[in-house]
Amino acid sequence: SYVLTQPPSVSVAPGKTARITCGGNNIGSKSVHWYQQKPGQAPVLVIYYDSDRPSGIPERFSGSNSGNTATLTISRVEAGDEADYYCQVWDSSSDHRGVFGGGTKLTVL
Amino acid sequence: EVQLVESGGGLVKPGGSLRLSCAASGFTFSSYSMNWVRQAPGKGLEWVSSISSSSSYIYYADSVKGRFTISRDNAKNSLYLQMNSLRAEDTAVYYCAVADWLNWFDPWGQGTLVTVSS
């Protein structure tokens, strides 16, 4: 089965840039989607199709995907960005299934 | 405004059954595929099941295959998850989510907690 690997935690100072990686075998050939989840809340889609932003998501959020790594980049980080972030793909190699990364806790120092 | 409201969660003994519902409003329910995603306490997200707009295609995670059944009633704008032979490891918040078929999930409901314990 397809596995997505994220770092458990990332820390960044306010105003700096945070980068959260998502590793997977040839993930560059798949479409990667990213979700933000704050404590006690449902996840919210922040990036789809590797780098597209849904309406209402700040331009500070961007994404890229190549080779074996996809990256969510948050520029000019704010305190309100502190949350868990999950990457997700669809694996259709053997059977259709959704796959989530283990999640990354973003801490704003 | 899109609204997804899950219900049906609660405490159930191992081996028991539970039926979750997700009431949808604010969009053309019959045109969208739907999913269930769960999150065990303090853990990450786990995809559970997907159903296409007309119920023609249904997929399950290996962890629930043969025990859970996803269904929908487009006339009632509702999504369901029948959960049988429940185990302690099924304890989680269960979210329903609208899907771009075989792509992303957006938006999500607020979730309903299922606790499997004796």
Side-chain angles (χ1 to χ4, degrees), chain B residues 53-89:
Chain B
S53 57
S54 60
S55 305
S56 297
Y57 299 95
I58 289 175
Y59 303 114
Y60 296 100
D62 288 344
S63 58
V64 307
K65 197 175 293 184
R67 300 187 299 124
F68 290 12
T69 302
I70 191 172
S71 63
R72 64 190 295 162
D73 186 336
N74 287 344
K76 294 183 178 180
N77 290 344
S78 293
L79 174 72
Y80 305 102
L81 186 67
Q82 178 67 44
M83 303 185 297
N84 299 331
S85 303
L86 283 162
R87 307 166 179 166
E89 54 264 37

Short mmCIF file of all heavy atoms in Angstrom, two decimals, chain B residues 53-89:
data_model
loop_
_atom_site.label_atom_id
_atom_site.label_comp_id
_atom_site.label_asym_id
_atom_site.label_seq_id
_atom_site.Cartn_x
_atom_site.Cartn_y
_atom_site.Cartn_z
N SER B 53 -21.43 9.54 -6.90
CA SER B 53 -22.68 10.31 -6.82
C SER B 53 -23.92 9.43 -7.01
O SER B 53 -24.95 9.65 -6.37
CB SER B 53 -22.67 11.43 -7.85
OG SER B 53 -22.48 10.91 -9.16
N SER B 54 -23.82 8.42 -7.88
CA SER B 54 -24.97 7.56 -8.16
C SER B 54 -24.86 6.20 -7.47
O SER B 54 -25.63 5.29 -7.77
CB SER B 54 -25.10 7.34 -9.66
OG SER B 54 -23.93 6.72 -10.16
N SER B 55 -23.87 6.08 -6.58
CA SER B 55 -23.62 4.82 -5.84
C SER B 55 -23.06 3.72 -6.73
O SER B 55 -23.03 2.55 -6.31
CB SER B 55 -24.89 4.32 -5.13
OG SER B 55 -25.42 5.29 -4.28
N SER B 56 -22.63 4.05 -7.93
CA SER B 56 -22.11 3.03 -8.84
C SER B 56 -20.75 2.50 -8.41
O SER B 56 -20.40 1.36 -8.69
CB SER B 56 -22.00 3.61 -10.26
OG SER B 56 -23.26 3.98 -10.76
N TYR B 57 -19.98 3.35 -7.76
CA TYR B 57 -18.63 2.97 -7.34
C TYR B 57 -18.50 3.18 -5.83
O TYR B 57 -18.83 4.23 -5.31
CB TYR B 57 -17.57 3.79 -8.07
CG TYR B 57 -17.61 3.60 -9.56
CD1 TYR B 57 -18.32 4.49 -10.36
CD2 TYR B 57 -16.97 2.52 -10.16
CE1 TYR B 57 -18.37 4.32 -11.74
CE2 TYR B 57 -17.02 2.34 -11.54
CZ TYR B 57 -17.73 3.24 -12.32
OH TYR B 57 -17.79 3.06 -13.67
N ILE B 58 -18.00 2.16 -5.16
CA ILE B 58 -17.83 2.20 -3.71
C ILE B 58 -16.47 1.59 -3.37
O ILE B 58 -16.10 0.53 -3.91
CB ILE B 58 -18.96 1.42 -2.99
CG1 ILE B 58 -20.28 2.20 -3.09
CG2 ILE B 58 -18.60 1.16 -1.54
CD1 ILE B 58 -21.48 1.47 -2.52
N TYR B 59 -15.74 2.24 -2.49
CA TYR B 59 -14.42 1.76 -2.07
C TYR B 59 -14.32 1.82 -0.55
O TYR B 59 -14.90 2.69 0.09
CB TYR B 59 -13.31 2.59 -2.71
CG TYR B 59 -13.36 2.62 -4.22
CD1 TYR B 59 -13.61 3.80 -4.90
CD2 TYR B 59 -13.18 1.45 -4.95
CE1 TYR B 59 -13.67 3.83 -6.29
CE2 TYR B 59 -13.24 1.48 -6.34
CZ TYR B 59 -13.48 2.67 -7.00
OH TYR B 59 -13.54 2.69 -8.37
N TYR B 60 -13.54 0.88 -0.01
CA TYR B 60 -13.35 0.80 1.44
C TYR B 60 -11.87 0.64 1.78
O TYR B 60 -11.09 0.04 1.03
CB TYR B 60 -14.08 -0.41 2.02
CG TYR B 60 -15.58 -0.38 1.90
CD1 TYR B 60 -16.23 -1.10 0.89
CD2 TYR B 60 -16.36 0.36 2.79
CE1 TYR B 60 -17.60 -1.07 0.77
CE2 TYR B 60 -17.74 0.38 2.68
CZ TYR B 60 -18.35 -0.34 1.65
OH TYR B 60 -19.72 -0.32 1.54
N ALA B 61 -11.50 1.16 2.94
CA ALA B 61 -10.19 0.86 3.49
C ALA B 61 -10.15 -0.60 3.90
O ALA B 61 -11.17 -1.17 4.31
CB ALA B 61 -9.90 1.76 4.69
N ASP B 62 -8.97 -1.19 3.82
CA ASP B 62 -8.83 -2.61 4.21
C ASP B 62 -9.27 -2.82 5.65
O ASP B 62 -9.79 -3.89 5.99
CB ASP B 62 -7.38 -3.05 4.04
CG ASP B 62 -6.99 -3.21 2.58
OD1 ASP B 62 -7.90 -3.26 1.72
OD2 ASP B 62 -5.79 -3.27 2.30
N SER B 63 -9.05 -1.83 6.50
CA SER B 63 -9.33 -1.97 7.93
C SER B 63 -10.82 -2.11 8.23
O SER B 63 -11.19 -2.56 9.33
CB SER B 63 -8.76 -0.77 8.70
OG SER B 63 -9.30 0.44 8.20
N VAL B 64 -11.68 -1.74 7.29
CA VAL B 64 -13.13 -1.81 7.54
C VAL B 64 -13.86 -2.68 6.52
O VAL B 64 -15.08 -2.93 6.69
CB VAL B 64 -13.77 -0.40 7.57
CG1 VAL B 64 -13.03 0.51 8.55
CG2 VAL B 64 -13.80 0.22 6.17
N LYS B 65 -13.17 -3.13 5.50
CA LYS B 65 -13.81 -3.91 4.44
C LYS B 65 -14.45 -5.17 5.03
O LYS B 65 -13.85 -5.88 5.82
CB LYS B 65 -12.78 -4.26 3.38
CG LYS B 65 -13.35 -4.72 2.06
CD LYS B 65 -12.26 -4.92 1.02
CE LYS B 65 -11.59 -3.63 0.64
NZ LYS B 65 -10.58 -3.81 -0.44
N GLY B 66 -15.69 -5.40 4.64
CA GLY B 66 -16.43 -6.56 5.14
C GLY B 66 -17.19 -6.29 6.42
O GLY B 66 -18.03 -7.11 6.83
N ARG B 67 -16.91 -5.17 7.07
CA ARG B 67 -17.61 -4.83 8.33
C ARG B 67 -18.46 -3.57 8.18
O ARG B 67 -19.50 -3.45 8.83
CB ARG B 67 -16.59 -4.62 9.45
CG ARG B 67 -15.73 -5.84 9.75
CD ARG B 67 -14.86 -5.60 11.00
NE ARG B 67 -13.95 -4.48 10.85
CZ ARG B 67 -13.92 -3.44 11.66
NH1 ARG B 67 -14.76 -3.35 12.69
NH2 ARG B 67 -13.04 -2.46 11.46
N PHE B 68 -17.99 -2.63 7.37
CA PHE B 68 -18.70 -1.36 7.19
C PHE B 68 -19.34 -1.32 5.81
O PHE B 68 -18.79 -1.87 4.85
CB PHE B 68 -17.73 -0.18 7.31
CG PHE B 68 -17.19 0.08 8.69
CD1 PHE B 68 -17.36 -0.82 9.74
CD2 PHE B 68 -16.50 1.25 8.95
CE1 PHE B 68 -16.86 -0.57 10.99
CE2 PHE B 68 -15.99 1.53 10.21
CZ PHE B 68 -16.16 0.60 11.22
N THR B 69 -20.48 -0.62 5.72
CA THR B 69 -21.16 -0.43 4.45
C THR B 69 -21.55 1.03 4.29
O THR B 69 -22.26 1.57 5.14
CB THR B 69 -22.41 -1.31 4.36
OG1 THR B 69 -22.07 -2.69 4.52
CG2 THR B 69 -23.09 -1.12 3.00
N ILE B 70 -21.08 1.64 3.23
CA ILE B 70 -21.43 3.02 2.92
C ILE B 70 -22.64 3.01 1.97
O ILE B 70 -22.75 2.13 1.11
CB ILE B 70 -20.24 3.78 2.29
CG1 ILE B 70 -20.52 5.28 2.22
CG2 ILE B 70 -19.90 3.21 0.92
CD1 ILE B 70 -19.30 6.11 1.78
N SER B 71 -23.52 3.98 2.15
CA SER B 71 -24.66 4.10 1.25
C SER B 71 -25.13 5.55 1.26
O SER B 71 -24.68 6.35 2.09
CB SER B 71 -25.80 3.17 1.67
OG SER B 71 -26.28 3.51 2.97
N ARG B 72 -26.01 5.87 0.35
CA ARG B 72 -26.55 7.22 0.28
C ARG B 72 -27.97 7.18 -0.23
O ARG B 72 -28.38 6.24 -0.94
CB ARG B 72 -25.67 8.10 -0.63
CG ARG B 72 -25.61 7.66 -2.08
CD ARG B 72 -24.53 8.43 -2.84
NE ARG B 72 -24.83 9.86 -2.93
CZ ARG B 72 -23.93 10.79 -3.23
NH1 ARG B 72 -22.67 10.46 -3.45
NH2 ARG B 72 -24.27 12.06 -3.31
N ASP B 73 -28.72 8.22 0.12
CA ASP B 73 -30.08 8.39 -0.37
C ASP B 73 -30.14 9.80 -0.96
O ASP B 73 -30.24 10.79 -0.20
CB ASP B 73 -31.08 8.21 0.77
CG ASP B 73 -32.53 8.25 0.29
OD1 ASP B 73 -32.80 8.85 -0.77
OD2 ASP B 73 -33.39 7.69 0.98
N ASN B 74 -30.06 9.90 -2.26
CA ASN B 74 -30.02 11.22 -2.88
C ASN B 74 -31.33 11.97 -2.73
O ASN B 74 -31.35 13.20 -2.74
CB ASN B 74 -29.64 11.09 -4.36
CG ASN B 74 -28.16 10.76 -4.54
OD1 ASN B 74 -27.35 10.91 -3.62
ND2 ASN B 74 -27.80 10.26 -5.72
N ALA B 75 -32.41 11.25 -2.58
CA ALA B 75 -33.72 11.90 -2.37
C ALA B 75 -33.79 12.56 -1.01
O ALA B 75 -34.51 13.55 -0.83
CB ALA B 75 -34.84 10.87 -2.52
N LYS B 76 -33.03 12.04 -0.06
CA LYS B 76 -33.03 12.59 1.29
C LYS B 76 -31.77 13.40 1.59
O LYS B 76 -31.57 13.84 2.72
CB LYS B 76 -33.17 11.46 2.32
CG LYS B 76 -34.50 10.74 2.26
CD LYS B 76 -34.60 9.68 3.35
CE LYS B 76 -35.96 9.00 3.32
NZ LYS B 76 -36.08 7.95 4.36
N ASN B 77 -30.91 13.57 0.58
CA ASN B 77 -29.66 14.31 0.78
C ASN B 77 -28.87 13.77 1.96
O ASN B 77 -28.37 14.54 2.81
CB ASN B 77 -29.92 15.81 0.97
CG ASN B 77 -30.40 16.48 -0.30
OD1 ASN B 77 -30.27 15.95 -1.40
ND2 ASN B 77 -30.96 17.67 -0.16
N SER B 78 -28.76 12.47 2.03
CA SER B 78 -28.13 11.85 3.20
C SER B 78 -27.13 10.77 2.82
O SER B 78 -27.32 10.04 1.84
CB SER B 78 -29.19 11.24 4.11
OG SER B 78 -29.99 12.25 4.70
N LEU B 79 -26.09 10.70 3.62
CA LEU B 79 -25.04 9.70 3.50
C LEU B 79 -25.06 8.85 4.77
O LEU B 79 -25.35 9.37 5.85
CB LEU B 79 -23.67 10.39 3.36
CG LEU B 79 -22.42 9.53 3.37
CD1 LEU B 79 -22.31 8.74 2.07
CD2 LEU B 79 -21.19 10.40 3.59
N TYR B 80 -24.75 7.57 4.62
CA TYR B 80 -24.80 6.68 5.77
C TYR B 80 -23.53 5.82 5.85
O TYR B 80 -22.84 5.59 4.86
CB TYR B 80 -26.01 5.74 5.66
CG TYR B 80 -27.31 6.47 5.48
CD1 TYR B 80 -27.91 6.54 4.22
CD2 TYR B 80 -27.94 7.09 6.55
CE1 TYR B 80 -29.10 7.22 4.04
CE2 TYR B 80 -29.14 7.78 6.37
CZ TYR B 80 -29.71 7.84 5.11
OH TYR B 80 -30.88 8.51 4.94
N LEU B 81 -23.27 5.34 7.06
CA LEU B 81 -22.21 4.36 7.26
C LEU B 81 -22.72 3.34 8.27
O LEU B 81 -22.88 3.66 9.45
CB LEU B 81 -20.91 4.99 7.76
CG LEU B 81 -19.71 4.05 7.85
CD1 LEU B 81 -19.28 3.59 6.45
CD2 LEU B 81 -18.53 4.70 8.57
N GLN B 82 -23.02 2.15 7.80
CA GLN B 82 -23.41 1.05 8.67
C GLN B 82 -22.15 0.35 9.15
O GLN B 82 -21.36 -0.15 8.34
CB GLN B 82 -24.31 0.07 7.93
CG GLN B 82 -24.73 -1.15 8.76
CD GLN B 82 -25.63 -0.78 9.93
OE1 GLN B 82 -26.55 0.02 9.78
NE2 GLN B 82 -25.36 -1.37 11.09
N MET B 83 -21.97 0.32 10.46
CA MET B 83 -20.76 -0.25 11.04
C MET B 83 -21.12 -1.47 11.88
O MET B 83 -21.86 -1.36 12.87
CB MET B 83 -20.04 0.79 11.90
CG MET B 83 -19.70 2.07 11.14
SD MET B 83 -18.72 3.24 12.11
CE MET B 83 -19.87 3.61 13.42
N ASN B 84 -20.65 -2.62 11.48
CA ASN B 84 -20.90 -3.88 12.19
C ASN B 84 -19.60 -4.44 12.76
O ASN B 84 -18.50 -4.02 12.37
CB ASN B 84 -21.55 -4.90 11.25
CG ASN B 84 -22.88 -4.45 10.71
OD1 ASN B 84 -23.61 -3.69 11.36
ND2 ASN B 84 -23.21 -4.89 9.51
N SER B 85 -19.74 -5.39 13.65
CA SER B 85 -18.57 -6.07 14.25
C SER B 85 -17.53 -5.06 14.72
O SER B 85 -16.34 -5.16 14.42
CB SER B 85 -17.93 -7.03 13.23
OG SER B 85 -18.87 -7.97 12.77
N LEU B 86 -17.99 -4.07 15.45
CA LEU B 86 -17.11 -2.98 15.86
C LEU B 86 -16.03 -3.46 16.82
O LEU B 86 -16.26 -4.34 17.66
CB LEU B 86 -17.93 -1.84 16.47
CG LEU B 86 -18.64 -0.98 15.42
CD1 LEU B 86 -19.77 -0.17 16.05
CD2 LEU B 86 -17.64 -0.06 14.72
N ARG B 87 -14.86 -2.83 16.69
CA ARG B 87 -13.70 -3.16 17.51
C ARG B 87 -13.24 -1.92 18.25
O ARG B 87 -13.57 -0.79 17.86
CB ARG B 87 -12.57 -3.66 16.62
CG ARG B 87 -12.94 -4.79 15.68
CD ARG B 87 -11.89 -4.97 14.61
NE ARG B 87 -12.19 -6.07 13.70
CZ ARG B 87 -11.57 -6.27 12.54
NH1 ARG B 87 -10.60 -5.45 12.17
NH2 ARG B 87 -11.91 -7.29 11.78
N ALA B 88 -12.43 -2.12 19.26
CA ALA B 88 -11.92 -0.99 20.03
C ALA B 88 -11.17 -0.01 19.12
O ALA B 88 -11.23 1.20 19.30
CB ALA B 88 -11.00 -1.49 21.14
N GLU B 89 -10.47 -0.55 18.13
CA GLU B 89 -9.68 0.30 17.23
C GLU B 89 -10.53 1.11 16.25
O GLU B 89 -9.99 1.93 15.50
CB GLU B 89 -8.64 -0.52 16.46
CG GLU B 89 -9.21 -1.71 15.72
CD GLU B 89 -9.10 -3.01 16.50
OE1 GLU B 89 -9.26 -2.98 17.75
OE2 GLU B 89 -8.89 -4.07 15.86
#
